[in-house]
Amino acid sequence: MQESPAFVSSDDLYLFNTGQLFRAYLTFGAHVMEVEGEPGVRFVLWAPNARAVFVIGDFCDWSSSDRSRAIELERIGTTGVWVGFGRGPGDGSRYKYELIDAEGERRLKSDPFGFRSELRPNTASVVTSLARYDWQDGEWMQLKRQRLPYDKPMLIYEVHLGAWRMDAPEQFRSYAQLARELVDYVVDMGYTHIEVLPLAEHPLDRSWGYQTTGYYAATSRYGPPEGLMELVDCAHRRGVGVLLDWVSGHFCKDEHGLRLFDGTPLYEPADYRRAEKPLWGTLAFDFGKPQVQSFLISNALFWLDMYHIDGLRVDAVASMIDLNFDKPDSMRTTNRYGGTEDIEALAFLRKLNETVFRYYPESLMMAEDSSSYPAVTSPTYLGGLGFNYKWNMGWMNDMLRYMETDPARRSDRHSLITFSMHYAYSENYVLPLSHDEVVHGKHSMLNKMPGSYEEKFANLRLFYGYWMSHPGKKLLFMGGEFGQFDEWKDDSGLDWSLLRYPLHDSMRSYVRDLNRIYLDRPALWENDHAPAGFEWIDVNNADQCMLSFQRRDKSGHRSVVVACNFSRRSYDVYRIGVSQSGIYRLLLSSDRANYGGSGAPMPERVQATDIPMHGKAYSIEIPVPALTVLMWETEEPASRFSNSYEEV
């Protein structure tokens, strides 16, 4: 059963051991191939401290005692790598590695580079080729290379695939079904991207994919790898990008996974104080180890290479770069300079981003980072971490605190909705309303809102309008678009039945229209990262809980004026300063009757007059209903227009 290990490139092994093999999945793991005309599977494994390694599986009755069918791997010199070729297994064979560690103990491990896993609770790896799918997204792949995202609209719909639609507990939609249903829905709603919670194989459904065992295996819960490829392909052919939540900060401790892989702390640090993540019950990666760098950076490229993923949302960056993140005093450590930054993790993130952008300069690399670490989205050659986007957790926390406040008391918290503009251009930001904000007792987006049933909807419409017009790209977790009333229930799916009730159905219509207005107005996204794209009109009106500002496109000629009334008081006449003369056309009133509002009369067009206001040479006079956001767009002068009031 043995073959010479000479067919494994010595260059690859050198690069792997120096942290420079960035497509290690092409070498490591199980690969169907022919050797000297004989079909079989080559297995390559990194386990430097093992005394012996066997591949066992359904081709040998899961026993290494039958040496005629089990595959014994051979160590390649001092590289720490083992290799072997077996003629028994083939495509679809289940297998595990049996390692004999330095103490003579037997360990059964799934393949760290396995391309597919058994459906949980089973944990074997499955020999799989990923080259069978016939991709049809060439036009998308070419187009995105020509369109960098910074001055483009970005509306991200965050999804947990298992709980988007579920007919009964554990009756998940397949990747292939989602390729039709989810993509159709996202296109209809006007989103530009789908962001999927982690899809790497994980043993526990309730971890949502954040505690991984199979980094190279798309979870089998929703079908075979080709199904996920079909989902991405269908999205691309409909003009929708796909982002993946990627977990490089930690891994779970299940026995078949990476923990103590060869009997020693191989993927995790040897110092338990640095290895343990007590908040999550997981283990950190040893980011300073070159082989771990090869493993993780190759994994990032793997999803972009093999599944055509358009970018990664890197989870829990704050926990990666802080040695003592959520750790008790007994576990606190310092770096070699006496500080608490994880120098090796910072270097890893820079190397990760440099590598991804070397091969995929058009990719989105987003940091989910709640820390105040500077220059997260600055280039590495300027000392930054090299991401191109960062989640704006400060904006999210401030805005939710403000919106959860009863309108009668919002005057005292006015700075919560204005402070974000003091730092809005320090990073390239995404404004996230994510799954993290609708779980663990935090309430759904709708149920965070104060007031009566109707006021909750009015507040949420108002909030979404402010969010959509604030500088920064946008992300909304599934269910938020129709006012899911309960917290996200990961084991039973979204409450689609709520759409039978008018206010929920109207909320979805509102979000759909809001998305379309956003997509069609460059003023709302072209200058997201430049101060020229935003100007306060009236920022200090805390007493009335009013806020007004304007967004401008790159030309500076087209603008959108936004007025937000965060109070319960309505104003029949309210004057707002504007920069340009001419006609202003109503783009949006969140108080429209078909959105569930009061339907208070509102003019479709108003004429700016030369009455100065708010430091502007001109002003418009408009009604402003309670708990309402209004958007007005400059329009070319017309010979005639109506000031008549209509229900809009």
Side-chain angles (χ1 to χ4, degrees):
M1 296 295 295
Q2 288 293 124
E3 295 285 347
S4 166
F7 55 84
V8 176
S9 165
S10 59
D11 290 343
D12 283 355
L13 299 182
Y14 171 80
L15 292 171
F16 177 77
N17 281 313
T18 56
Q20 302 296 322
L21 188 62
F22 298 139
R23 287 187 167 94
Y25 67 88
L26 297 175
T27 298
F28 288 80
H31 292 270
V32 177
M33 61 176 59
E34 288 188 4
V35 173
E36 296 181 356
E38 292 287 338
V41 180
R42 186 190 70 181
F43 297 90
V44 180
L45 179 71
W46 178 54
N49 301 299
R51 284 170 35 181
V53 178
F54 301 89
V55 182
I56 61 173
D58 50 15
F59 50 87
C60 66
D61 296 327
W62 296 97
S63 173
S64 62
S65 59
D66 184 352
R67 298 302 173 86
S68 65
R69 293 190 295 165
I71 304 163
E72 184 175 2
L73 304 191
E74 182 177 344
R75 187 195 300 268
I76 306 178
T78 59
T79 64
V81 175
W82 300 74
V83 64
F85 180 78
R87 297 181 179 86
D91 199 5
S93 295
R94 297 175 301 148
Y95 70 98
K96 280 190 176 182
Y97 291 110
E98 181 184 281
L99 295 88
I100 309 302
D101 66 22
E103 303 300 320
E105 296 292 326
R106 175 178 178 265
R107 296 175 178 272
L108 280 179
K109 294 288 186 177
S110 301
D111 190 346
F113 285 89
F115 292 157
R116 187 174 180 183
S117 296
E118 286 186 293
L119 179 62
R120 52 89 179 99
N122 297 324
T123 58
S125 301
V126 181
V127 177
T128 302
S129 171
L130 298 181
R132 291 186 290 258
Y133 186 78
D134 182 18
W135 288 92
Q136 302 294 316
D137 64 346
E139 183 178 351
W140 167 272
M141 298 296 282
Q142 183 64 33
L143 181 62
K144 74 173 182 177
R145 295 186 186 104
Q146 303 166 7
R147 297 182 60 192
L148 295 181
Y150 309 105
D151 61 353
K152 301 294 185 294
M154 192 186 301
L155 277 174
I156 304 168
Y157 187 60
E158 187 189 32
V159 179
H160 179 274
L161 292 186
W164 184 67
R165 285 190 185 274
M166 194 184 300
D167 296 324
E170 298 189 22
Q171 290 187 16
F172 306 124
R173 293 292 201 272
S174 68
Y175 292 123
Q177 288 174 300
L178 291 165
R180 299 183 298 273
E181 297 176 8
L182 175 60
V183 173
D184 282 349
Y185 183 78
V186 165
V187 170
D188 175 65
M189 291 297 296
Y191 293 101
T192 63
H193 293 77
I194 302 167
E195 181 174 307
V196 185
L197 267 62
L199 289 181
E201 194 59 82
H202 50 284
L204 180 64
D205 290 358
R206 305 303 298 272
S207 79
W208 312 331
Y210 289 96
Q211 296 192 10
T212 301
T213 49
Y215 272 79
Y216 288 81
T219 180
S220 296
R221 286 168 175 80
Y222 317 125
E226 291 81 8
L228 176 56
M229 294 175 183
E230 181 182 354
L231 171 57
V232 176
D233 199 13
C234 287
H236 285 173
R237 286 186 278 128
R238 301 289 299 278
V240 175
V242 181
L243 311 175
L244 181 63
D245 205 336
W246 188 65
V247 186
S248 58
H250 60 121
F251 57 90
C252 70
K253 296 181 178 181
D254 289 53
E255 191 62 35
H256 67 282
L258 301 179
R259 175 178 175 267
L260 297 174
F261 190 82
D262 63 358
T264 67
L266 194 59
Y267 288 88
E268 67 270 32
D271 185 342
Y272 84 94
R273 296 173 301 170
R274 294 198 175 187
E276 293 286 342
K277 293 280 190 182
L279 180 67
W280 300 311
T282 55
L283 295 171
F285 281 101
D286 187 346
F287 297 109
K289 194 172 289 183
Q291 298 89 342
V292 172
Q293 295 171 20
S294 290
F295 175 80
L296 286 173
I297 295 175
S298 292
N299 186 247
L301 288 178
F302 167 80
W303 293 103
L304 277 59
D305 287 345
M306 303 308 296
Y307 288 95
H308 292 201
I309 296 295
D310 299 294
L312 304 175
R313 177 263 201 187
V314 180
D315 178 61
V317 169
S319 77
M320 295 173 66
I321 63 179
D322 181 356
L323 288 170
N324 300 320
F325 184 86
D326 276 328
K327 291 187 177 181
D329 290 342
S330 61
M331 294 180 64
R332 291 185 174 271
T333 59
T334 58
N335 60 38
R336 59 181 176 270
Y337 302 113
T340 59
E341 297 89 357
D342 190 327
I343 296 171
E344 293 170 340
L346 290 167
F348 164 76
L349 290 172
R350 294 187 180 102
K351 185 175 180 178
L352 166 71
N353 287 317
E354 288 172 352
T355 306
V356 169
F357 288 126
R358 181 189 312 165
Y359 295 105
Y360 292 97
E362 73 283 0
S363 285
L364 294 166
M365 292 295 289
M366 298 182 175
E368 189 263 322
D369 178 23
S370 59
S371 78
S372 59
Y373 191 85
V376 171
T377 58
S378 293
T380 57
Y381 61 80
L382 295 178
L385 290 187
F387 290 94
N388 55 3
Y389 279 97
K390 173 181 174 174
W391 278 23
N392 193 336
M393 311 296 278
W395 173 88
M396 178 272 299
N397 283 311
D398 285 350
M399 279 307 304
L400 291 182
R401 284 176 60 202
Y402 181 83
M403 293 306 303
E404 289 169 357
T405 302
D406 188 277
R409 298 193 298 274
R410 284 175 177 168
S411 294
D412 297 331
R413 293 190 160 192
H414 193 71
S415 62
L416 289 174
I417 53 173
T418 61
F419 180 68
S420 60
M421 291 310 301
H422 289 287
Y423 62 87
Y425 306 108
S426 61
E427 305 277 6
N428 296 334
Y429 281 119
V430 171
L431 307 183
L433 301 175
S434 77
H435 69 279
D436 279 329
E437 310 318 316
V438 295
V439 291
H440 303 320
K442 297 178 184 177
H443 304 296
S444 68
M445 294 305 300
L446 179 64
N447 209 14
K448 292 177 190 289
M449 302 296 117
S452 66
Y453 182 68
E454 290 77 13
E455 282 183 332
K456 285 179 180 293
F457 282 93
N459 270 298
L460 190 58
R461 292 192 302 269
L462 166 60
F463 176 39
Y464 284 168
Y466 177 71
W467 164 67
M468 195 66 74
S469 52
H470 188 289
K473 309 307 182 186
K474 313 297 187 291
L475 178 143
L476 181 66
F477 184 58
M478 62 183 196
E481 75 276 15
F482 61 80
Q484 172 98 1
F485 200 83
D486 290 342
E487 279 191 346
W488 172 42
K489 303 181 290 293
D490 57 81
D491 59 349
S492 60
L494 296 181
D495 295 327
W496 293 101
S497 61
L498 289 174
L499 292 172
R500 297 198 300 262
Y501 298 92
L503 281 176
H504 292 276
D505 188 50
S506 296
M507 174 61 76
R508 184 170 65 167
S509 295
Y510 172 73
V511 170
R512 183 192 290 112
D513 287 355
L514 187 60
N515 288 352
R516 297 297 178 187
I517 289 170
Y518 169 83
L519 292 174
D520 292 342
R521 300 304 184 288
L524 296 178
W525 39 262
E526 267 192 344
N527 268 324
D528 268 334
H529 312 306
F534 178 91
E535 182 183 10
W536 287 118
I537 295 173
D538 186 10
V539 63
N540 294 317
N541 192 351
D543 289 341
Q544 292 180 296
C545 299
M546 290 285 292
L547 201 64
S548 54
F549 55 91
Q550 62 180 338
R551 298 294 308 276
R552 293 193 184 94
D553 65 7
K554 281 190 172 181
S555 73
H557 300 309
R558 302 288 290 182
S559 64
V560 173
V561 173
V562 182
C564 301
N565 181 2
F566 292 96
S567 77
R568 289 192 177 100
R569 291 165 291 184
S570 296
Y571 300 94
D572 294 333
V573 177
Y574 194 88
R575 187 170 291 277
I576 295 176
V578 294
S579 300
Q580 297 172 246
S581 62
I583 299 168
Y584 285 74
R585 184 171 69 88
L586 182 66
L587 284 178
L588 176 80
S589 169
S590 64
D591 188 54
R592 286 177 60 162
N594 64 315
Y595 296 150
S598 72
M602 183 70 60
E604 287 281 1
R605 290 173 171 80
V606 295
Q607 174 74 54
T609 61
D610 57 359
I611 299 175
M613 191 71 180
H614 299 132
K616 309 295 183 186
Y618 307 95
S619 60
I620 57 175
E621 194 173 81
I622 58 174
V624 182
L627 300 175
T628 294
V629 57
L630 302 171
M631 295 186 190
W632 299 84
E633 180 181 47
T634 53
E635 189 175 88
E636 293 297 325
S639 58
R640 298 179 65 183
F641 69 95
S642 173
N643 264 325
S644 63
Y645 279 47
E646 304 173 12
E647 284 199 8
V648 297

